[in-house]
Amino acid sequence: TDVYHAGGRPALVVRPKSVEGLQAAVRACAAAGVAMVPRSGGASYTDGYLYAPGGHVLFDCGALDQIEVDVANAVVTVGPGVSWAALRTKLMEVGLRTPFWGPFSGLVATVGGSVSQNAISHGSGAYGSSAPSVLGMDVVLASGEILSTAASAATRNYGPDLTGLFTGDCGVLGIKARIRLPLIARRGGFEPLSFAFDTFEDYHAAVRAIAMEAIDEENFGLDLALSQGQIAKQEGVAAKAKVAKELLRASSSKLAGLKQLASMAVAGESAMRSGEWMHHFLVEGVDATDCAARVKRLREILGKHGREIPNSVPGFVHTLPFAPLTNVLGPKGERWVPLHGVLRHEDVVPFHYALQEFYAERADDMERLGVWTGGMFTAVGQAGFLYEIAMYWPDERHAFHANMLEQDFLAKQPAYPANPEARAYVAKLKTDLVELYQKHGAAHFQLGRNYPYRNRLEKNAGALVAAIKQQLDPRGLMNPGALGF
């Protein structure tokens, strides 16, 4: 069971405690001709580890959680089951971090899962997605043998990029056993910044211009619906003593922490209603002077398109970058599933208006069934714009929610009866929205079994990837069905 729904029942689950154990289990599956499906943190919602036929062996990689920090060579080697939160805590002890350092779900999301599915969030403004922040990896192939992707531990760019083949492969080429990431020094300066925009055209123009500057650590935007719903729900946590304590601990000085707490208190929830579109920036620098110069440049650009608003949202995210997984339910306990596309800038505004027309055509049914949506956005490098849709509907919770969320939290949420009609309607919406993304040339992260990949490739490229799959997994036992293989 993933965040969204359930797949076929595995014949058994293997939880290897060592790379050698992983190899032995893979060899046993290969000898028996049994399908193998890898799972790490489990926070997928694209059928990444759900195999509809069932009868497979599910590889739970959570116990492969070793962390080896090599400060002298600026490399950390981790197991696929290491969560981003655990890695961050370990590296903070030596004043270091990785360039990309995890998605918002990093309390449970793992390095192995993020590298296999690709991910963005923390550090993406400056360093891109999870994929570039990988030097190399050791992968257990369908035969049980290990393939090391980098000829040198110092760089992945030593001849053809073999490491790149296994980033975003969703486990169809093998199971990641060790992942090597580069280390950089943690920066001492931080300043949050938020702006609001009244039209989507102004909003997109601002984000595009900022992406060209590449001076922020990370950024993300929200429409009014999502800002007042999910994010406001998280912001409510900020009144608790735990958040205040964490903010003071994370601040460069006690005075800076107290100033940020005061600004968050003054802003309250008004920051959630500051405009139709709101974008938030986490700016880091070597010191306060460096941060101030970066923020000044951001204000110069953003001020041409929108207006500055209270910065409580990015301040909160900086304080608690890995929030509890409460957002896998809606603000009123509804079921939730997101989907997204990465668009070229010239396709963003046309897609947006096509989406509004899509909603308008279905407004009556959506209202009748209690289905509503919100949007989240970010720049992906300089050339891409991520447009993410979150869908909510009233329905019963399933096993993922019962096992991954705290019972005290669940007890306070409204409980809904089974709603098969709304559930089926959302499933159809998902399919239709993916088609809409495709019409506008979108790419995707976290492909799993939900987004098209194999049939999107040019003929020769498709033949090459198929040949690689055949070479590494001739019987098609590794995560069959993912990526269209």
Side-chain angles (χ1 to χ4, degrees):
T1 306
D2 69 7
V3 173
Y4 178 49
H5 64 175
R9 186 177 181 86
L12 56 93
V13 175
V14 174
R15 185 176 169 89
K17 296 182 178 180
S18 67
V19 174
E20 293 75 19
L22 170 61
Q23 289 181 271
V26 168
R27 290 191 186 104
C29 291
V34 176
M36 294 169 270
V37 177
R39 177 191 185 278
S40 289
S44 170
Y45 43 79
T46 59
D47 294 5
Y49 59 86
L50 302 186
Y51 183 54
H56 56 294
V57 172
L58 184 68
F59 278 79
D60 174 359
C61 297
L64 296 172
D65 58 357
Q66 73 276 8
I67 302 176
E68 301 172 10
V69 183
D70 183 352
V71 176
N73 291 305
V75 175
V76 60
T77 302
V78 303
V82 172
S83 73
W84 289 101
L87 180 59
R88 179 174 185 260
T89 298
K90 180 71 173 180
L91 294 178
M92 285 179 71
E93 297 173 0
V94 290
L96 298 172
R97 51 165 279 201
T98 54
F100 171 86
W101 52 278
F104 295 136
S105 56
L107 280 179
V108 298
T110 63
V111 177
S114 298
V115 171
S116 295
Q117 289 265 55
N118 278 335
I120 58 172
S121 285
H122 299 307
S124 289
Y127 301 101
S129 72
S130 57
S133 289
V134 181
L135 288 172
M137 60 184 94
D138 297 337
V139 181
V140 176
L141 304 177
S143 63
E145 297 177 292
I146 284 185
L147 181 152
S148 294
T149 67
S152 168
T155 176
R156 73 186 248 182
N157 304 115
Y158 186 19
D161 183 11
L162 299 182
T163 297
L165 287 173
F166 294 87
T167 60
D169 75 328
C170 296
V172 302
L173 299 180
I175 301 176
K176 292 161 185 64
R178 302 182 188 92
I179 301 163
R180 288 175 287 280
L181 308 170
L183 296 174
I184 60 176
R186 295 178 62 83
R187 291 174 174 163
F190 167 73
E191 189 168 341
L193 186 67
S194 297
F195 267 72
F197 309 86
D198 292 327
T199 71
F200 187 79
E201 288 87 348
D202 282 338
Y203 174 53
H204 170 250
V207 175
R208 178 184 178 278
I210 290 300
M212 299 289 285
E213 299 286 324
I215 56 176
D216 63 280
E217 178 70 13
E218 63 186 90
N219 65 83
F220 62 94
L222 307 157
D223 66 7
L224 188 58
L226 196 58
S227 185
Q228 291 189 126
Q230 290 294 73
I231 303 303
K233 181 177 72 172
Q234 289 291 338
E235 276 278 297
V237 181
K240 297 183 178 180
K242 176 184 176 183
V243 175
K245 180 180 177 181
E246 286 296 313
L247 192 149
L248 289 172
R249 184 184 66 82
S251 297
S252 56
S253 69
K254 186 174 181 180
L255 178 59
L258 290 172
K259 287 175 63 178
Q260 182 61 36
L261 273 176
S263 68
M264 291 167 70
V266 170
E269 293 191 359
S270 64
M272 308 300 141
R273 298 184 293 273
S274 300
E276 289 295 322
W277 316 94
M278 286 151 280
H279 210 81
H280 309 286
F281 299 85
L282 286 80
V283 182
E284 292 190 0
V286 294
D287 54 23
T289 301
D290 184 19
C291 269
R294 293 168 181 260
V295 169
K296 179 182 178 182
R297 178 59 178 156
L298 289 174
R299 285 190 173 117
E300 289 174 354
I301 298 170
L302 295 167
K304 298 175 183 178
H305 305 279
R307 60 190 178 281
E308 190 167 357
I309 61 174
N311 60 10
S312 58
V313 172
F316 174 75
V317 170
H318 178 71
T319 304
L320 285 181
F322 304 126
L325 289 187
T326 53
N327 277 350
V328 299
L329 292 176
K332 296 181 180 179
E334 308 99 322
R335 289 283 302 280
W336 163 84
V337 65
L339 65 161
H340 73 273
V342 180
L343 300 153
R344 296 184 308 168
H345 285 294
E346 68 179 25
D347 297 319
V348 172
V349 173
F351 171 81
H352 173 73
Y353 283 106
L355 179 63
Q356 305 315 303
E357 183 177 343
F358 178 96
Y359 289 150
E361 292 171 351
R362 295 160 177 78
D364 291 342
D365 284 336
M366 291 175 68
E367 183 175 0
R368 177 177 61 84
L369 295 170
V371 178
W372 64 280
T373 65
M376 186 170 180
F377 319 90
T378 189
V380 180
Q382 285 68 55
F385 182 92
L386 182 135
Y387 196 122
E388 181 170 300
I389 299 166
M391 294 194 290
Y392 304 89
W393 75 101
D395 199 357
E396 65 179 350
R397 299 190 287 264
H398 63 49
F400 182 94
H401 308 107
N403 285 279
M404 297 296 286
L405 300 176
E406 294 183 2
Q407 294 304 307
D408 288 346
F409 168 77
L410 290 176
K412 298 175 184 177
Q413 303 304 306
Y416 299 95
N419 193 344
E421 184 182 7
R423 193 182 316 148
Y425 188 79
V426 168
K428 182 63 165 59
L429 283 180
K430 276 191 65 182
T431 300
D432 292 345
L433 284 168
V434 170
E435 290 182 4
L436 185 65
Y437 277 119
Q438 293 296 298
K439 288 179 181 177
H440 289 81
H444 306 277
F445 296 121
Q446 303 175 20
L447 302 182
R449 293 169 173 82
N450 285 180
Y451 294 113
Y453 171 72
R454 189 175 185 178
N455 62 7
R456 277 284 302 273
L457 295 175
E458 181 268 334
K459 179 181 177 181
N460 288 335
L464 175 60
V465 177
I468 292 170
K469 170 69 171 174
Q470 176 66 24
Q471 173 69 27
L472 301 181
D473 181 18
R475 290 187 289 168
L477 298 179
M478 278 291 174
N479 209 9
L483 301 187
F485 289 96

